[in-house]
Every structure is written in C-alpha cells, then in structure tokens.
Amino acid sequence: EVQLVESGGGLVQPGGSLRLSCAASGFTFTSHWMGWARQAPGKGLQWVANINQDGSDKNYVDSVKGRFTVSRDNARNSVDLQMNSLRAEDTAVYYCARSTYYAGTGTYYSVYWGQGTLVTVSS
Amino acid sequence: EIVLTQSPATLSLSPGERATLSCRASQSVSRQLAWYQQKPGQAPRLLIYDASSRATGIPARFSGSGSGTDFTLTISSLEPEDFAAYYCQQRSIWPITFGLGTRLEIK
C-alpha cells in the first residue's frame, strides 16, 4: 500500500524557517518524481515544487523561488521541503504527492497524496 | 503561467441529477489536463487524467472531455458522496496550475 506521511509543520514567525519531511513507503521510491503542493485555508490548490528521481532536476513556482528548496534522500525514501524567509502568505496545508507517468500523453499526474501538514506563519 | 478558469464557482444540484463542470485554459494545454475531487479535511483525489481517462477505481458516472483550451467534467447521476470541491489541473507547462475550483453542493 502506497503511503505518504508528512511531518514538520507548525507555527513559525514571519522571516523564520521550517523543514517539512515526507516519508514514503509501499512503492519503489527511486522510480518516481515527487512534489509538494499547498492549500491556504479555505482556498484552492497551488503546486509548489517538483523533484525528479535522482534529485538532479527541480522546479519551483515563482512565489517560492530562492526561499524554498526541495530535496530527497533515496536511501531513506523521503523528500523534504526546506522553507526559509517565510511569509504570512505561505500559511497553508502542505501536501506531498507522488507523480505517476501516463503514456497516453507522456504526462505525469499525482495519484497518491499525503494527508498534509499545516504551516502557520504568524507573529 | 497558464490560468485555468473554472465555472461555475458553485453548483447546487440534487442527487440523481447530472452535473457539468467547466474548465477553460488561457492557452492550449493539449490534453494534459486532470480533474481532482476534494472533500473537507482530505487530500485531493485524482478522477480524470489526459482530459478523458478515468483513474483507477473511479466510477463510470465520472467522465471528462475536451482538448486545447476547453474541458468538461460530467457526473452523469449524482450520488450523495459526490458533493465536494472539484479542481482542474494542467500539467502541460511549468508551473503546474490549478483552477480555483467548483463547489458542488446539495440543493
């Protein structure tokens, strides 16, 4: 059974840092892109970052570039999101997701998601 | 960045009725579009990928259509468990973007 379990969320002051972690199990971790998405309270979804199978290719949405860093440890089957210089607008539930390749259009989609971890940026 | 516009924002229907949700992209995404269902306090659930393919385990009452810039999610006969928020997502060009969602509520 595929499982993704996020941890590391909490309350942090503006300008502070937080590191989220996602522990993966039930599948061959090294075969999949992994990503982080977030959802502000009562709002829609935003994709934040992606990382490829060996960690050599990373993508970030503009609003977090230079502040957030995605990384993975294939020995521990985990993917992390280091968040620095946090702002109030970063307050959200952060989801870890596994991407699966679909040959039809050659596109990756996220079937498996964790339950999310809440990050609150407030003084 | 590709902007996805979903309509309507809220749809009020009764069980057994047909639901039609729309998603329009600001530029072509070919068929690289997905639909997700999300219930309060839960993670999103993939319903449709590649615009019209049902994900594993998704009931046949869910169908997707469209290509380019105009897409539709249809629920042929609403079940009580279908009342939730629905989001379209494009995977054609980075950044991956979502629409703002359609909230399907019980009339």
Side-chain angles (χ1 to χ4, degrees):
Chain A
E1 178 193 4
V2 173
Q3 286 199 318
L4 300 169
V5 180
E6 301 96 337
S7 60
L11 175 64
V12 61
Q13 292 190 336
S17 298
L18 214 54
R19 189 176 186 92
L20 305 183
S21 189
C22 171
S25 61
F27 64 97
T28 304
F29 186 68
T30 53
S31 295
H32 295 272
W33 279 77
M34 298 296 295
W36 289 91
R38 67 184 179 183
Q39 187 169 35
K43 301 296 184 182
L45 294 156
Q46 182 184 40
W47 202 268
V48 174
N50 265 356
I51 185 168
N52 72 339
Q53 290 88 336
D54 66 5
S56 62
D57 191 4
K58 306 174 186 180
N59 300 293
Y60 302 93
V61 69
D62 281 352
S63 58
V64 309
K65 274 182 188 172
R67 300 188 300 122
F68 289 13
T69 302
V70 62
S71 61
R72 64 190 294 160
D73 184 336
N74 285 345
R76 294 191 304 119
N77 286 2
S78 67
V79 57
D80 290 353
L81 187 67
Q82 176 67 42
M83 304 185 296
N84 299 330
S85 303
L86 282 161
R87 306 166 180 166
E89 54 265 35
D90 296 318
T91 294
V93 173
Y94 284 74
Y95 294 101
C96 169
R98 188 197 91 173
S99 291
T100 299
Y101 179 77
Y102 287 86
T105 61
T107 306
Y108 290 86
Y109 295 97
S110 295
V111 177
Y112 295 101
W113 297 64
Q115 281 307 297
T117 186
L118 176 63
V119 172
T120 303
V121 185
S122 174
S123 55
Chain B
E1 170 175 316
I2 295 178
V3 176
L4 299 178
T5 302
Q6 291 189 241
S7 61
T10 304
L11 186 57
S12 299
L13 293 170
S14 301
E17 290 192 292
R18 181 184 188 90
T20 303
L21 288 65
S22 174
C23 176
R24 177 164 289 179
S26 59
Q27 64 188 80
S28 177
V29 299
S30 185
R31 294 180 60 82
Q32 293 170 298
L33 186 114
W35 289 93
Y36 290 86
Q37 177 193 67
Q38 189 181 33
K39 297 180 180 180
Q42 295 186 14
R45 175 193 181 198
L46 180 66
L47 300 175
I48 301 289
Y49 65 93
D50 287 351
S52 61
S53 297
R54 266 190 307 277
T56 302
I58 301 304
R61 64 181 181 272
F62 291 91
S63 64
S65 63
S67 66
T69 60
D70 289 298
F71 300 88
T72 301
L73 174 70
T74 301
I75 310 171
S76 59
S77 179
L78 285 165
E79 297 289 340
E81 61 268 27
D82 298 336
F83 292 91
Y86 291 84
Y87 296 93
C88 57
Q89 178 202 51
Q90 67 81 21
R91 303 285 296 224
S92 176
I93 295 173
W94 185 264
I96 296 166
T97 50
F98 292 89
L100 292 180
T102 290
R103 180 171 162 252
L104 181 54
E105 64 175 28
I106 299 177
K107 188 173 182 179

